[in-house]
Amino acid sequence: MNVSEKFYLGLDVGRTIRGALVSADGRIINQQKVIAEVSDPRIFISQLIAVINDLRRSVETQGRAFAVGIGWAGLVNQSAQRIEVMPNMIDLSAFDLHDEIEQATGLPVVFDNDANVAAYGEWRCGAAQGFKDVFFISIGTGIGAGLILSGQLQRGSRGFAGEFGHFKINLDGLECACGSTGCLETLASGPNIVRRVREQLFSDPTFSVSRLAMDMEGILTCERVFQAAMERDQLAVGVLKETAKVLGAAVASVINLLNVEVIVMGGGVMAAGDLILRYIRKEVQKDAIAQAQESCAIVMAKLGQDAGIIGAALLARDTLPE
Ligand SMILES: [Zn+2]
């Protein structure tokens, strides 16, 4: 047994804290999942430290963990390595978490946005491997993105680049969690796809079931809607096409703006696979400049939910001193 093997820790932190111990070539060796305790920052921080310490101890006989990468479901100030906002979750802005985790674990730590680390994972060992100009999109409860240009992860001046979910798609649209209105997220995120189905199903408020319909959280899910679309339910197919239309328009804008080589699409909503991807490609064909789209592939992500933990670990591998 090679006792000097190098490992890296990757964490993907949202309502669930996912952590993994990853080999230097991007394989998950061991992983842990914990529901985040968001009511108390101190408990939350101790949960994170416990996940890191448990995972690193699990390979002590084989080698050593060298560094930790953490992707956060929020805005991370890159230069200060501080969490500025974790929407609808927990306020960590008053804590110097970076220093605290480094001190508690004795390991160097790097913070980034969750979509950035997932993009990094797909780029290093997933669907975008070998490309230099990549736009990664994750569509789930929210919509995030990560951008790689000329072989470099781009974060913008302070780390807030890639907020693709907040592209304004509808000038008269719904209020968004970001404070603006009509964002892509208000139409194409998982919960908003479900909302649109509900609105169509129960558009006539005189039915007494209409009120019951508002209480269908957890029963009517995006997954079920797209399953119904696969079984050719007309309403579900309509909602899926409409979703592909807005996503396609936004993706076309990205292609026009950045002339990337590949768009990688992941997240729970894209579990509908080819069914939705086909329509997105069609929309892009209509909306993007021909020369830019001809040289751009639109593909499904490969790593699924593991993109974030693998990407965070590999980001730590590539950016932190040993
Ligand atoms: Zn928004």
Side-chain angles (χ1 to χ4, degrees):
M1 192 184 292
N2 180 6
V3 289
S4 60
E5 204 176 332
K6 286 182 179 176
F7 298 100
Y8 299 87
L9 288 152
L11 272 73
D12 190 356
V13 181
R15 292 237 164 224
T16 304
I17 300 169
R18 296 190 72 214
L21 190 85
V22 173
S23 66
D25 60 357
R27 279 174 300 120
I28 293 176
I29 306 297
N30 204 345
Q31 59 177 309
Q32 259 197 32
K33 217 195 258 187
V34 181
I35 302 297
E37 181 50 74
V38 293
S39 62
D40 182 342
R42 295 289 0 148
I43 299 175
F44 176 76
I45 295 165
S46 60
Q47 283 182 308
L48 287 173
I49 291 168
V51 167
I52 293 169
N53 283 332
D54 281 359
L55 284 168
R56 70 193 293 203
R57 272 189 221 111
S58 70
V59 282
E60 270 170 357
T61 54
Q62 296 164 54
R64 191 157 73 81
F66 278 81
V68 184
I70 306 182
W72 301 88
L75 294 180
V76 178
N77 184 321
Q78 268 300 319
S79 48
Q81 288 282 290
R82 282 179 92 99
I83 320 300
E84 294 215 355
V85 193
M86 293 268 281
N88 310 317
M89 211 184 125
I90 191 168
D91 184 5
L92 297 168
S93 57
F95 295 87
D96 188 350
L97 239 59
H98 186 266
D99 268 17
E100 196 168 323
I101 296 171
E102 282 198 334
Q103 275 170 23
T105 61
L107 292 169
V109 175
V110 63
F111 281 3
D112 215 316
N113 168 263
D114 58 353
N116 283 353
V117 297
Y120 201 80
E122 288 288 346
W123 180 45
R124 282 308 190 201
C125 48
Q129 211 174 1
F131 290 97
K132 279 195 168 138
D133 298 296
V134 178
F135 196 74
F136 165 82
I137 304 167
S138 173
I139 310 164
T141 312
I143 299 180
L147 172 64
I148 290 137
L149 286 180
S150 305
Q152 293 283 327
L153 183 62
Q154 304 293 323
R155 303 178 177 92
S157 64
R158 286 177 67 203
F160 311 142
E163 288 299 327
F164 179 66
H166 303 288
F167 267 29
K168 198 160 185 135
I169 290 289
N170 183 354
L171 294 181
D172 308 308
L174 289 181
E175 207 172 291
C176 178
C178 74
S180 184
T181 55
C183 297
L184 177 64
E185 203 165 283
T186 66
L187 290 166
S189 71
N192 279 295
I193 292 168
V194 172
R195 175 187 57 75
R196 284 165 39 225
V197 171
R198 251 190 234 159
E199 279 173 6
Q200 288 194 38
L201 263 178
F202 305 102
S203 54
D204 186 342
T206 59
F207 289 126
S208 59
V209 289
S210 299
R211 220 169 305 136
L212 292 175
M214 302 309 286
D215 207 24
M216 287 175 75
E217 208 63 63
I219 299 168
L220 189 63
T221 61
C222 183
E223 207 176 41
R224 287 194 174 171
V225 172
F226 287 172
Q227 184 59 44
M230 276 176 222
E231 289 154 15
R232 297 176 189 215
D233 175 89
Q234 282 311 298
L235 192 151
V237 170
V239 167
L240 182 134
K241 280 188 180 173
E242 196 59 35
T243 305
K245 194 170 181 175
V246 290
L247 285 171
V251 167
S253 299
V254 169
I255 293 173
N256 289 348
L257 184 71
L258 298 171
N259 187 206
V260 287
E261 298 170 277
V262 65
I263 305 265
V264 178
M265 306 200 67
V269 168
M270 292 306 294
D274 270 353
L275 186 67
I276 189 164
L277 195 62
R278 221 172 18 167
Y279 290 121
I280 292 173
R281 285 192 183 122
K282 253 189 217 167
E283 292 301 326
V284 169
Q285 229 164 29
K286 277 193 273 176
D287 296 340
I289 292 167
Q291 288 80 355
Q293 59 166 291
E294 275 163 17
S295 53
C296 180
I298 303 173
V299 301
M300 293 292 293
K302 265 192 192 156
L303 303 178
Q305 280 204 324
D306 295 338
I309 42 179
I310 293 173
L314 297 184
L315 186 68
R317 177 195 69 181
D318 297 342
T319 55
L320 292 169
E322 285 178 0

